[in-house]
Amino acid sequence: RTSAFRPAREASMMREIVERHSGLLPLDTVESIWRVIISTFTYVQAPYDVIYARAGDGLTMRDVARFHFGYTVPVVAVDEPAEVLESVGTRGDALGVIPLASNGAWWQALEAPDAPNVIARLPFVERPDHPAGMPCLVVANAPIDREVMAATVLSVTLERDTDLLEGVDVLAQSKSRALLSATTSEALSAVQALDPTAVIVGSHAPVFRP
């Protein structure tokens, strides 16, 4: 299983760019330029498509797709997360972008052995005024690399009043089903102890909040 996307490398690069940013040029412009450069060169080396779910907010999701992947990479809009997962399937040349605000426990489909995995969390750099700040996950037919990625993503059964350890983020929840992100090995062990049936469905680079 391979992917043209290298989110850990790209997130690390974006963090370095943001940390050394200074001057009058807005950070939004700097990030956008570098995202276009990264995505375009990746596409030239290994062409891929981006398939995103409108999930009730098509204009915002189009902006998210274009901000993070530029205008060279072909993007396709579908209505729901299930269509994204079906379209990505077992392809090695497609990325899916799913907003975390989508309805239903769509991530349960990721538990299937041949399902895509979560490989990134968008935006790479979180800030209140981000021009494409809709929280999303990127899925792809790629192996889970927890050694490179700092946060492990799990599909779990979780009651809403459950107390979670520091280092655990609730990415999405629908009734008793939840999608969690564990940013430390201790947090990961705690989640797995809380729900022994928890399924690891991906990983992502750590969120950077300047």
Side-chain angles (χ1 to χ4, degrees):
R1 305 178 80 181
T2 60
S3 173
F5 200 33
R6 297 292 181 268
R9 181 187 63 187
E10 295 174 18
S12 176
M13 183 183 301
M14 292 309 307
R15 181 183 181 117
E16 292 178 6
I17 290 169
V18 172
E19 287 178 334
R20 67 170 184 259
H21 173 259
S22 62
L24 297 178
L25 192 64
L27 177 58
D28 293 344
T29 303
V30 174
E31 184 181 3
S32 177
I33 290 172
W34 277 101
R35 286 298 317 143
V36 170
I37 291 173
I38 293 168
S39 296
T40 301
F41 272 91
T42 301
Y43 179 79
V44 169
Q45 296 171 17
Y48 61 97
D49 299 333
V50 172
I51 304 159
Y52 69 88
R54 298 185 186 94
D57 198 345
L59 291 178
T60 298
M61 285 304 298
R62 182 188 63 186
D63 290 344
V64 168
R66 286 307 185 190
F67 183 92
H68 290 283
F69 301 101
Y71 285 85
T72 300
V73 180
V75 299
V76 178
V78 296
D79 288 328
E80 301 297 336
E83 296 174 78
V84 173
L85 299 179
E86 181 180 358
S87 297
V88 172
T90 57
R91 293 175 55 185
D93 60 348
L95 301 178
V97 182
I98 300 175
L100 288 174
S102 300
N103 293 327
W106 58 267
W107 57 87
Q108 284 189 267
L110 298 175
E111 297 178 9
D114 59 347
N117 294 316
V118 174
I119 65 168
R121 182 176 174 179
L122 299 180
F124 285 103
V125 183
E126 285 194 351
R127 52 188 186 276
D129 57 348
H130 197 294
M134 173 76 81
C136 298
L137 293 179
V138 179
V139 299
N141 183 38
I144 298 173
D145 190 350
R146 297 198 304 277
E147 296 301 319
V148 175
M149 313 293 205
T152 302
V153 182
L154 304 99
S155 176
V156 306
T157 298
L158 181 72
E159 298 301 328
R160 289 186 179 274
D161 58 352
T162 301
D163 292 329
L164 297 173
L165 289 178
E166 181 178 355
V168 179
D169 290 337
V170 179
L171 301 178
Q173 187 161 10
S174 178
K175 298 181 181 178
S176 63
R177 297 298 304 180
L179 187 66
L180 304 184
S181 175
T183 58
T184 65
S185 57
E186 292 80 9
L188 174 59
S189 297
V191 171
Q192 292 173 320
L194 183 66
D195 178 12
T197 66
V199 178
I200 294 175
V201 295
S203 55
H204 65 79
V207 171
F208 178 48
R209 300 179 176 95

